[in-house]
Amino acid sequence: MTRPSKHARPEILLTPDAMARVDAAAASSGIDSFGLMLRAGEAVAAAALRHFPGALRFVIFCGPGNNGGDGYVAASALARSGADVHVYSLVETAALKGDAARAHAACPIPVMAIERFHPDAGEVIIDALFGAGLTRDLPAAVQALIRAVREARLPVLAVDLPSGIDGATGEIRGESFEASHTVTFMTRKPGHVLLPGRLQCGTLEVFDIGIPRRIVDADARPLWINGPAIWAGHARHSSAHDHKYRRGHVTVFSGPQTATGAGRLSAEAALRAGAGLVTLASPSEALATNAAHLTAVMLSSVDGVDDLSEWLSDTRRTTFVLGPGFGDRQRACAFAEMIGRAGRRLVLDADGITAFAGAAERLDAIFSTNEPRLVVTPHEGEFSRLFPEIAADRSLGKLEKALAAAKCLGGIVVYKGADTVIAAPDGRAAIEEKAPATLATAGSGDVLAGIIGARLANGMPAFEAACAAVYQHGQAALRAGRTLTAEDLITQIQAN
């Protein structure tokens, strides 16, 4: 498995299971676990005073585990500061164990049963019920409590993650607090960046409670926030020896005469993103239409498998984009199989994905190598068509679905959306968090396919190429602004 360069530090995301292992390893190393809880709870108290200086009262909801323990520590710290504090427990406090029991014992504030809570104006809620480890629906009483807080419009500060958010998937388990601010510890979790969890967190603060980075790294999965550190060691640098073929040749397949626009968007994006040469492979019937719109992108006639076989005889033609506006699914299958058997790299999008509906294993058989050569870019509907069994598995969140699909495919899966997940068959994954909602416009996916093609043609490995392209695509959208169209998006593509 290729990890990012040792000189780069991509932002790690710890899954709840990994965070539990980190906590256990820290305790085993001799670090006082209660000391970690003290630092966490005091960080919550400091955030509460900083963000809500006008609060008339802090109301702290404490759960049965260590998240509740953090709440008791925060309550003690807030009381020492002179704040008015009320504490409510979800469980009988006699049932608390370990550090949570110790934190409760040290808390000078009487603890009331959570059923006794009634919201009052001026209160600020500190949610220390359930952290990132939640994997089941909230109890009915907690769901009713959340609704009462929402109806009263009281601000919420969440400890670790708003209660009700699954820390592994970002999904809402019945109900969820909508926090104004969230304080988490050591690293963010997938639930902080995957939707809809991301939208429930408000502003997010990551507080270092003192676990050494070596312990965090030892138990972390290869899961990161998407960003330049992931591909820093693989980015291509310009050289005086460069020529267009050294920078890579991308071939994009055009659709028929009435559907040529998508292919041109991909081709123009690939050229703008840094490919040295881009050719639009067009059906003969669409040559005139395409020629009227192209300048720097080259144009060639490719009608059937014989034409493609001749095209593949030139080994400099290394990278292909197939699917945008293509239409003919049977021909798409034939072309993809020829490209795979010729040992070339392929970005499969749109109609190309649909052509292999329910048959991802065919692609695996054709493209599977030690180093992935295939990148597929499905949105939710296309994902369901290509990987129907994985999509139907309700026990998996978006991240785990993307990883399962990548393993099934033997290639890179770019599972698109406002929280795009890039997954590799070896278990690496990255989540894009900065792409704006304006990308929900016709043609933006065609542009992304072209950018990925350019990165592959530059010689970047497939996972890093996909990560770089998704980031580049999102940054271009941010520069393009609120009135973005796919054509605007191309003009904003910059190297990164």
Side-chain angles (χ1 to χ4, degrees), residues 26 59 76 99 103 147-148 166 204 222 249 258-259 272 326 394 402 420 457 467 481 485-486 490:
V59 175
S76 300
D99 290 337
R147 289 191 292 269
D166 187 318
L204 181 65
H249 184 179
T258 57
R272 181 85 181 191
F326 194 73
R394 300 188 65 176
T420 293
C467 289
T485 66
I490 293 169

Side-chain angles (χ1 to χ4, degrees), residues 92-112:
E92 292 288 341
T93 54
L96 296 174
K97 297 179 181 179
D99 290 337
R102 186 175 173 186
H104 166 258
C107 181
I109 302 163
V111 177
M112 295 172 278

Side-chain angles (χ1 to χ4, degrees), residues 357-359 383-393:
F383 187 95
S384 296
R385 289 193 284 276
L386 186 58
F387 307 105
E389 293 183 2
I390 295 171
D393 188 343

Side-chain angles (χ1 to χ4, degrees), residues 60-109:
I60 304 180
F61 298 147
C62 292
N66 284 345
N67 201 249
D70 295 341
Y72 290 118
V73 172
S76 300
L78 287 168
R80 289 196 300 272
S81 77
D84 183 13
V85 184
H86 283 189
V87 180
Y88 295 86
S89 176
L90 181 63
V91 298
E92 292 288 341
T93 54
L96 296 174
K97 297 179 181 179
D99 290 337
R102 186 175 173 186
H104 166 258
C107 181
I109 302 163

Side-chain angles (χ1 to χ4, degrees), residues 42-402:
E42 288 169 358
V44 171
L49 294 171
R50 186 170 64 252
H51 286 272
F52 305 102
L56 300 183
R57 177 184 298 128
F58 291 103
V59 175
I60 304 180
F61 298 147
C62 292
N66 284 345
N67 201 249
D70 295 341
Y72 290 118
V73 172
S76 300
L78 287 168
R80 289 196 300 272
S81 77
D84 183 13
V85 184
H86 283 189
V87 180
Y88 295 86
S89 176
L90 181 63
V91 298
E92 292 288 341
T93 54
L96 296 174
K97 297 179 181 179
D99 290 337
R102 186 175 173 186
H104 166 258
C107 181
I109 302 163
V111 177
M112 295 172 278
I114 210 159
E115 292 80 8
R116 295 182 58 189
F117 170 74
H118 295 285
D120 287 323
E123 292 178 329
V124 171
I125 304 299
I126 297 179
D127 163 29
L129 288 171
F130 297 97
L134 183 71
T135 58
R136 64 187 186 280
D137 282 359
L138 291 174
V142 175
Q143 295 192 39
L145 176 70
I146 290 172
R147 289 191 292 269
V149 168
R150 184 185 302 130
E151 290 168 6
R153 299 190 175 185
L154 299 180
V156 176
L157 186 153
V159 180
D160 197 18
L161 198 66
S163 291
I165 300 297
D166 187 318
T169 68
E171 295 172 354
I172 294 176
R173 295 291 186 167
E175 278 280 5
S176 166
F177 282 113
E178 299 166 20
S180 302
H181 185 71
T182 297
V183 181
T184 193
F185 311 109
M186 299 311 299
T187 77
R188 289 191 278 176
K189 316 303 184 295
H192 291 122
V193 291
L194 292 168
L195 295 178
R198 185 203 302 171
L199 304 178
Q200 304 294 101
C201 292
T203 55
L204 181 65
E205 172 183 348
V206 181
F207 186 80
D208 187 339
I209 56 175
I211 299 175
R213 178 72 186 225
R214 60 180 170 78
I215 294 178
V216 174
D217 287 346
D219 280 289
R221 287 170 51 176
L223 172 61
W224 307 285
I225 290 290
N226 193 33
I230 292 175
W231 58 88
H234 301 277
R236 187 184 185 284
H237 300 289
S238 298
S239 164
H241 299 288
D242 277 352
H243 54 75
K244 59 189 177 185
Y245 281 104
R246 190 185 294 272
R247 294 179 64 195
H249 184 179
V250 178
T251 301
V252 179
F253 292 97
S254 169
Q257 187 172 3
T258 57
T260 57
R264 285 198 304 276
L265 287 171
S266 292
E268 290 163 7
L271 192 64
R272 181 85 181 191
L277 181 66
V278 179
T279 300
L280 189 65
S282 170
S284 298
E285 61 160 350
L287 283 172
T289 302
N290 280 317
H293 293 85
L294 298 175
T295 305
V297 172
M298 300 183 70
L299 183 62
S300 186
S301 174
V302 175
D303 284 305
V305 294
D306 291 340
D307 295 329
L308 180 57
S309 179
E310 182 178 350
W311 188 255
L312 288 166
S313 66
D314 187 336
T315 58
R316 297 175 299 179
R317 295 164 178 159
T318 60
T319 306
F320 294 77
V321 177
L322 173 61
F326 194 73
D328 187 334
R329 296 177 188 177
Q330 185 174 354
R331 192 157 57 99
C333 286
F335 279 17
E337 290 175 359
M338 290 179 68
I339 292 164
R341 292 193 178 102
R344 310 301 168 82
R345 296 183 285 265
L346 175 64
V347 182
L348 196 65
D349 184 36
D351 293 338
I353 293 172
T354 301
F356 285 91
E361 68 281 355
R362 285 177 59 191
L363 289 166
D364 179 33
I366 299 161
F367 283 92
S368 185
T369 54
N370 290 334
E371 180 60 43
R373 296 182 290 118
L374 174 65
V375 180
V376 298
T377 58
H379 55 57
E380 186 175 11
E382 291 163 345
F383 187 95
S384 296
R385 289 193 284 276
L386 186 58
F387 307 105
E389 293 183 2
I390 295 171
D393 188 343
R394 300 188 65 176
S395 70
L396 302 177
K398 185 171 184 175
L399 171 63
E400 297 302 333
K401 285 180 179 180

